[in-house]
Amino acid sequence: MSSDCLGSTDFFSDEALEMLQSPLMKEETLSRKDLVHLRYERDVETMAEMSSNLYRWSEEEVATESHLQWASWIITSRVLTVQGPPESGIANRLLIPLIDMCNHDRDSPHILTGRAMTGATLKVVAGVDVKAGDAINISYGGSVEGNDRFIQDYGFLDGGGSKERGKSEVAEAYKIVARKLT
């Protein structure tokens, strides 16, 4: 497994979850961990016991609960919630190829627009001229999501936007969290 997932609450110890002082984040995280555990017991472990060729992580290794937890997080960290038709009130969680190449920046001039409905398109609209090699960032959650979602789903903290805070303040926030988690 890669280390990029370790910032997500899904990989926090019980002690680290308590340090968040957020009962809702703790409850949601524990619920997701329980769902992964139940799914592993029901589907993966049972089938792997029947045949060692099923649910392999690699040639040498059978998939473990930790592997399923990582795979679930990978999907969560790349899924995008997109609104359906206006009158429906439906929100769709979609995996959209290439959109996960856009990193988060609350102050990005670029926006994701569109709806998840028949005949509709989703597109990133450039808010400024883009030169070859420029990074295209978007604001995850339409600039309304907070750090509770960011740390749970993506494994990072939002420093409040590049215009609101200096890079040194954001770096210090990361150091504080890192000290608490190690």
Side-chain angles (χ1 to χ4, degrees):
M1 285 187 290
S2 61
S3 62
D4 62 342
C5 64
L6 299 180
S8 168
T9 59
D10 287 3
F11 302 92
F12 283 19
S13 67
D14 290 340
E15 181 183 7
L17 279 175
E18 286 295 332
M19 284 186 215
L20 289 174
Q21 299 180 15
S22 173
L24 291 175
M25 281 178 40
K26 179 182 176 185
E27 181 181 319
E28 183 178 332
T29 299
L30 292 175
S31 176
R32 286 199 312 216
K33 285 181 176 186
D34 286 345
L35 288 172
V36 167
H37 175 73
L38 292 171
R39 186 65 183 256
Y40 179 79
E41 279 185 334
R42 186 188 75 199
D43 297 334
V44 179
E45 190 174 48
T46 304
M47 296 303 287
E49 287 172 1
M50 285 191 236
S51 172
S52 62
N53 292 325
L54 294 173
Y55 295 104
R56 308 269 328 151
W57 186 255
S58 66
E59 287 286 325
E60 303 82 32
E61 188 176 11
V62 174
T64 66
E65 188 171 333
S66 294
H67 294 127
L68 182 59
Q69 183 181 21
W70 177 83
S72 297
W73 175 78
I74 282 292
I75 297 298
T76 299
S77 72
R78 283 154 178 77
V79 77
L80 190 63
T81 302
V82 180
Q83 300 303 311
E87 65 281 353
S88 73
I90 295 173
N92 302 284
R93 293 177 54 90
L94 307 172
L95 284 171
I96 304 169
L98 302 179
I99 197 69
D100 69 338
M101 293 177 68
C102 295
N103 286 323
H104 169 75
D105 180 354
R106 186 176 298 279
D107 296 327
S108 175
H110 313 300
I111 58 169
L112 179 68
T113 184
R115 289 191 173 268
M117 52 193 265
T118 305
T121 58
L122 293 169
K123 56 187 170 186
V124 175
V125 177
V128 296
D129 289 341
V130 178
K131 297 183 280 303
D134 284 354
I136 305 293
N137 296 330
I138 58 175
S139 178
Y140 293 1
S143 295
V144 296
E145 294 291 357
N147 276 329
D148 59 332
R149 287 271 44 99
F150 294 141
I151 197 162
Q152 287 181 82
D153 296 346
Y154 308 112
F156 70 81
L157 296 172
D158 178 13
S162 56
K163 293 177 186 168
E164 294 176 34
R165 297 184 139 193
K167 290 185 179 194
S168 63
E169 290 173 300
V170 174
E172 186 57 31
Y174 280 102
K175 288 178 192 172
I176 291 168
V177 171
R179 280 195 302 266
K180 293 288 187 186
L181 298 178
T182 56

